Amino acid sequence: MTIEPAFDEPLLKRIAQQDQAALAELYDRYAQILYAVAFKSLGSAQESEEVVLDVFSQVWRTATHYDNSRSRVDTWLFMIARSRTLDRLRRLQRSTKIAVASVDAVKSQPHPLSNDPIEGVLLSERRAHVLTAIAQLPEEQRQAIELAYYKGLTHSEIAAQLGLSLGTVKTRIRLGLSKLRVALGNWEPR
């Protein structure tokens, strides 16, 4: 498909008037190339898809502010995509540090004193199983759960720290907990 930048400005004017069909058309034109650009930096299909969604969400919200004297529409889209990709890279770096710190904290917690050696073994097995289940969650769900349960942050605090909407944080935690429930529901001590 050939992209004709001359047709982009009228689309953006329609988007500024909340025309969803125009947004869909602009999305169809640029989503694949923006995805490829994001994927090259992020190396993750899921994160790259999030970048593309963030770009078009921002276009929807800010189309009225687009200034054709400063850049072409495609250049503007690529600048937004670059910014969102860098934001995600920074967030992933922070979350990796947080995840490592929180997993280390759980691993370093002393085992409760118990006179029953079997209980101690069961607790160790349970801890290992929980850590394994948490490690298998998608990064954004694991990050939200760790911030909530290991760091004690509220959903609002997590949203502010990660730069996400409150609804997104709640959804990620709910989905992550649901996956943990399934993973841990079948667990029985050996």
Side-chain angles (χ1 to χ4, degrees), residues 34-53:
L34 294 175
Y35 173 88
V37 168
F39 189 82
K40 185 168 176 77
S41 296
L42 295 168
S44 162
Q46 188 173 4
E47 292 294 330
S48 301
E49 289 169 1
E50 291 279 339
V51 165
V52 172
L53 292 175

Side-chain angles (χ1 to χ4, degrees), residues 91-161:
R91 193 174 303 136
L92 288 171
Q93 289 170 347
R94 277 194 317 265
S95 70
T96 300
K97 289 177 187 173
I98 290 169
V100 168
S102 63
V103 169
D104 288 346
V106 169
K107 287 179 181 176
S108 69
Q109 289 179 355
H111 296 283
L113 296 175
S114 171
N115 293 335
D116 186 1
I118 294 175
E119 185 179 334
V121 171
L122 290 175
L123 286 173
S124 292
E125 281 186 22
R126 184 176 298 139
R127 179 178 288 116
H129 189 70
V130 168
L131 289 173
T132 301
I134 289 172
Q136 292 174 353
L137 290 174
E139 177 63 29
E140 68 278 353
Q141 292 171 10
R142 180 173 63 240
Q143 179 184 28
I145 287 173
E146 287 176 342
L147 288 172
Y149 291 93
Y150 292 141
K151 298 290 184 180
L153 300 180
T154 66
H155 292 175
S156 298
E157 291 169 335
I158 295 168
Q161 182 172 335

Side-chain angles (χ1 to χ4, degrees), residues 2-76:
T2 304
I3 297 175
E4 291 291 330
F7 295 118
D8 294 341
E9 273 191 53
L11 280 177
L12 212 52
K13 287 178 184 174
R14 288 175 42 209
I15 293 169
Q17 298 168 352
Q18 304 295 288
D19 183 340
Q20 292 179 358
L23 181 67
E25 191 173 333
L26 191 69
Y27 180 91
D28 289 343
R29 286 181 185 208
Y30 288 100
Q32 286 183 333
I33 188 75
L34 294 175
Y35 173 88
V37 168
F39 189 82
K40 185 168 176 77
S41 296
L42 295 168
S44 162
Q46 188 173 4
E47 292 294 330
S48 301
E49 289 169 1
E50 291 279 339
V51 165
V52 172
L53 292 175
D54 288 348
V55 168
F56 286 98
S57 176
Q58 183 171 344
V59 167
W60 181 255
R61 289 188 320 271
T62 63
T64 56
H65 302 295
Y66 169 73
D67 182 359
N68 64 359
S69 68
R70 296 182 67 195
S71 68
R72 292 183 353 187
V73 173
D74 57 350
T75 305
W76 185 58

